[in-house]
Amino acid sequence: MESKELKSIFLDKFGDADGEIRVFSAPGRVNLIGEHTDYNGGCVFPAALSMCTTIIARKRDDGVIRMMATDLGEMVEGNIENLGAYKKLRWGNYQFGVFQELKEHGYPVVGADMLFHDTTPHGGGLSSSAAIEVSSAIAMAALGGIQKINHIDMAKISQLAEHHYIGVNCGIMDQFASAMGKKDHAIYLDCKTLEYELVPIMLDGYKLVISNTNKKRSLADSKYNERRAECEQGLEILKTAYPDITCLGDVSTEMFEKNGHLIENETIKKRVQHIIEEDARVKRSVEVLKGNHLEEFGELMTASHVSLRDLYEVSCEELNILVDEALKIEGVLGSRMTGAGFGGCTVSLVREDCIDRFIEEVGNNYQRSVGYEASFYISDIGDGGREL
Ligand code: GLA
């Protein structure tokens, strides 16, 4: 939907009033490689999508916040004096979490009418929630009068809202990609230092195809926190050999080969092995993509999937079917699950002239095995959060 159409829906729902109507947006993301490494101080390599959350917003002077989404009938209402009270909302809790966190960080939080329009599929592992959080943070900071918005700060605040308000101890990747993305670039981000590099993605005759399992991610949150705790246990054990390490991102594959045996619990050892090898795959991926070695990048993607499936154990049957079917198609260089896992999407590197066949065959075979349809998107790498 165009801004013009959204503005007319906004006026229809919230009525005419004084005050400027402003438009903000922030995208979802696809992670090219580097899964579950972010909260371990490792590297990730996500890109912002052109699928995004758009917010039409107008400031109010009475401290009341009213919000609606184009795909939901009801309006939620809150007050800036009582931001902690909306955790149980089925929709709107992410936004209130962000507003609360902004306030705690000294940002102005003002009353507002806000209409939300999402094009990132919900619960699909493409960070529709980061898109909502980051767009809300940018919009509220701007309505509050901040002229020059610090996007990295908006990403951090959005992440903290997820920890404190939603109860998921997520890493920084999704919010960072949503806040800092750049058209046709992926972000090589060191999650320990937040140093980053924008790497142009020129895929010479290939495209990234996203396949959505359309399976809702039910157990994802509790399993996510469980994996995080397992990694922390592994880190504590490795510290007995390497007292200076502060996160698994500090551990090289050589260090793990030498002292990984100290971790006696096989499950924890597998989790740690995944993180350390995945981190190395990210670094290698950036190198090979800079050199335009797409075949090797494809192999790294597939290796990442195998590791997420067998070592980190966050894949699921539906994701594995999509990857296995993808790899049978001519012109596919690599395929992997993307995001937290347990459902959501895969990303595959597919030669342009093979995409139609990819969608047809992977789609048919998926439906035959699973009983419902997958969805496919050709991913366009878009810009990060901003006022339009
Ligand atoms: C979710 C989290 C991210 C990251 C990924 C897995 O998307 O929000 O921080 O941990 O899972 O890579």
Side-chain angles (χ1 to χ4, degrees):
M1 245 186 272
E2 299 275 329
S3 295
K4 211 171 138 206
E5 197 180 335
L6 289 172
K7 276 185 186 165
S8 103
I9 300 178
F10 177 93
L11 287 173
D12 190 44
K13 302 290 180 197
F14 294 105
D16 218 354
D18 285 344
E20 188 190 354
I21 294 178
R22 299 168 71 175
V23 186
F24 303 89
S25 106
R29 63 97 189 94
V30 57
N31 188 20
L32 304 189
I33 194 160
E35 222 62 83
H36 290 273
T37 43
D38 60 351
Y39 53 84
N40 284 297
C43 296
V44 292
F45 199 36
L49 294 170
S50 52
M51 295 186 253
C52 64
T53 294
T54 305
I55 305 179
I56 312 290
R58 184 175 59 201
K59 190 178 163 191
R60 299 170 59 99
D61 293 327
D62 58 359
V64 171
I65 297 173
R66 297 193 296 169
M67 299 190 292
M68 261 194 107
T70 49
D71 56 353
L72 289 176
E74 76 218 75
M75 167 137 23
V76 303
E77 190 171 319
N79 196 292
I80 58 169
E81 298 308 331
N82 203 14
L83 292 171
Y86 312 106
K87 289 189 180 162
K88 295 251 145 58
L89 286 179
R90 205 173 47 86
W91 182 85
N93 51 345
Y94 283 87
Q95 293 91 320
F96 279 114
V98 166
F99 303 153
Q100 161 130 316
E101 209 62 53
L102 279 170
K103 195 171 181 183
E104 275 170 18
H105 285 78
Y107 279 92
V109 173
V110 296
D113 287 335
M114 297 175 131
L115 177 73
F116 288 76
H117 179 65
D118 299 319
T119 53
T120 318
H122 289 183
L126 299 177
S127 294
S128 54
S129 44
I132 291 180
E133 290 156 5
V134 171
S135 57
S136 299
I138 293 175
M140 185 53 82
L143 293 183
I146 304 288
Q147 303 278 345
K148 198 164 171 359
I149 290 173
N150 178 334
H151 281 221
I152 295 187
D153 229 24
M154 295 301 108
K156 289 183 186 164
I157 280 172
S158 299
Q159 180 198 19
L160 288 176
E162 193 132 356
H163 290 188
H164 298 148
Y165 219 84
I166 307 297
V168 179
N169 278 326
C170 65
I172 188 70
M173 168 170 73
D174 304 346
Q175 292 81 6
F176 197 97
S178 180
M180 299 293 292
K182 185 168 176 221
K183 191 168 171 41
D184 298 330
H185 290 69
I187 307 175
Y188 177 30
L189 172 67
D190 178 333
C191 299
K192 182 178 178 184
T193 60
L194 291 194
E195 274 168 39
Y196 70 98
E197 183 188 339
L198 293 168
V199 181
I201 296 295
M202 289 168 305
L203 297 175
D204 223 7
Y206 284 79
K207 284 217 185 292
L208 293 165
V209 179
I210 296 174
S211 313
N212 190 343
T213 59
N214 288 324
K215 179 192 180 186
K216 292 290 169 233
R217 298 188 300 132
S218 52
L219 272 175
D221 292 358
S222 59
K223 290 282 179 200
Y224 188 90
N225 289 343
E226 184 183 294
R227 290 296 176 279
R228 195 169 174 147
E230 287 165 345
C231 290
E232 277 158 19
Q233 286 179 48
L235 173 66
E236 286 313 310
I237 298 168
L238 289 178
K239 272 186 184 165
T240 58
Y242 303 110
D244 293 342
I245 58 173
T246 60
C247 57
L248 292 179
D250 289 339
V251 184
S252 65
T253 44
E254 293 74 23
M255 287 159 82
F256 181 71
E257 266 158 36
K258 219 162 147 203
N259 276 303
H261 64 88
L262 294 176
I263 308 177
E264 284 170 16
N265 180 311
E266 280 306 317
T267 303
I268 297 195
K269 199 197 276 175
K270 284 198 293 186
R271 308 297 189 240
V272 170
Q273 186 186 343
H274 164 76
I275 298 300
I276 291 165
E277 291 175 355
E278 182 78 351
D279 196 38
R281 277 188 289 269
V282 178
K283 294 179 171 121
R284 182 73 193 141
S285 294
V286 174
E287 272 171 35
V288 300
L289 273 180
K290 283 180 178 171
N292 227 354
H293 305 303
L294 292 184
E295 287 195 6
E296 189 176 344
F297 176 55
E299 284 162 19
L300 290 161
M301 290 172 78
T302 305
S304 165
H305 182 78
V306 169
S307 178
L308 288 157
R309 184 190 68 198
D310 298 344
L311 297 179
Y312 215 63
E313 297 180 285
V314 290
S315 188
C316 61
E317 201 194 334
E318 293 82 354
L319 286 166
N320 295 339
I321 291 173
L322 281 180
V323 167
D324 292 346
E325 292 301 331
L327 293 173
K328 290 181 192 159
I329 308 288
E330 190 203 327
V332 173
L333 295 184
S335 184
R336 59 182 293 276
M337 55 156 274
T338 183
F342 303 107
C345 292
T346 65
V347 55
S348 308
L349 186 56
V350 188
R351 209 172 68 213
E352 276 174 30
D353 61 343
C354 303
I355 292 178
D356 288 344
R357 208 172 130 220
F358 177 97
I359 292 177
E360 193 185 324
E361 292 195 13
V362 175
N364 286 341
N365 294 341
Y366 181 79
Q367 171 146 34
R368 202 168 308 126
S369 316
V370 175
Y372 53 85
E373 281 183 9
S375 314
F376 298 90
Y377 325 102
I378 315 289
S379 90
D380 244 343
I381 301 184
D383 279 315
R386 63 207 183 277
E387 180 161 10
L388 298 178

